[in-house]
Amino acid sequence: MSLVLDPAAQDLLFREARTANTFTDEPVTDEQVQAIYDLVKYGPTAFNQSPLRITLVRSAEARERLVRHMAEGNRPKTAAAPLVAILSADNEFHEELPALFPHFPQAKDAFFSERPVREGAATLNAALQAAYFIVGVRAAGLAAGPMTGLDFEGVRKEFLDDDHTPLMVVNVGRPGPDAWFPRSPRLAYDQVVTTV
């Protein structure tokens, strides 16, 4: 059985898509970010909890503050990318559940009244949404450079609050010169999939 998605779209989203390490200076507009979000917001999460929060770093002053918290090897990439997004998990996502999961508004208190439970759910589901965000960036014809080499606590204190857990920083833009490292190998199907 073949995939229904057009092969060119498969290439754009997966086979030819790469993590960009350099970018041109072409701006990423608010309209592009809105279009990305309007697509990826439909990706599934448990209870439709939607805990991902996106902090766009645009100003030179905010960029400088963020770069200080990046691992040394990631600093030049973040300093030069036309747009940087801090992706975080909102640990108080449950407050939105009555609106997001209206057929069972009691889910807010029945399942997520305790903070440790919320933090686990928020991290898992925001990570799913972060993956959708990266695919959405690719669908917009842009490249993403997701990174976890950073001081998470420093980023949280600098840009977020105690109710948000940073997950990653994603550089976004059009790929620049020598943007790609050689593609690393992938596991074979039979190394990953087991039938029981």
Side-chain angles (χ1 to χ4, degrees):
M1 178 178 168
S2 62
L3 299 173
V4 175
L5 189 66
D6 177 77
Q10 294 173 38
D11 287 343
L12 176 71
L13 299 178
F14 296 100
R15 286 192 289 263
E16 298 298 324
R18 307 289 294 281
T19 296
N21 293 287
T22 68
F23 296 90
T24 69
D25 59 2
E26 181 180 333
V28 176
T29 67
D30 289 337
E31 292 78 16
Q32 287 172 300
V33 176
Q34 179 76 50
I36 291 165
Y37 176 73
D38 285 343
L39 175 66
V40 303
K41 69 183 178 184
Y42 294 109
T45 58
F47 294 96
N48 196 34
Q49 59 190 249
S50 306
L52 182 71
R53 300 297 179 262
I54 303 167
T55 303
L56 299 178
V57 180
R58 287 200 182 275
S59 73
E61 179 268 334
R63 181 76 56 104
E64 187 176 306
R65 287 169 36 220
L66 177 59
V67 166
R68 288 195 305 258
H69 297 291
M70 300 304 295
E72 190 171 334
N74 291 334
R75 288 177 184 167
K77 298 182 241 186
T78 298
L83 178 66
V84 182
I86 301 169
L87 304 187
S88 63
D90 181 357
N91 296 307
E92 297 298 313
F93 70 87
H94 69 307
E95 296 295 343
E96 304 294 337
L97 282 181
L100 294 175
F101 206 60
H103 52 283
F104 184 36
Q106 307 90 323
K108 173 187 177 222
D109 298 315
F111 296 105
F112 302 109
S113 61
E114 296 182 21
R115 176 72 180 231
V117 172
R118 287 198 308 275
E119 288 178 353
T123 299
L124 173 63
N125 287 279
L128 283 173
Q129 290 185 283
Y132 305 144
F133 177 80
I134 293 166
V135 172
V137 167
R138 294 170 174 180
L142 301 169
M147 298 177 296
T148 56
L150 55 113
D151 173 4
F152 286 91
E153 185 59 16
V155 168
R156 187 191 63 74
K157 287 180 179 177
E158 191 82 41
F159 292 95
L160 306 170
D161 59 32
D162 289 340
D163 290 331
H164 293 79
T165 303
L167 301 173
M168 66 184 70
V169 166
V170 183
N171 298 326
V172 180
R174 301 237 179 248
D178 301 316
W180 321 118
F181 293 147
R183 187 178 287 285
S184 298
R186 298 298 192 264
L187 294 173
Y189 178 84
D190 60 0
Q191 292 177 286
V192 175
V193 178
T194 304
T195 303
V196 295

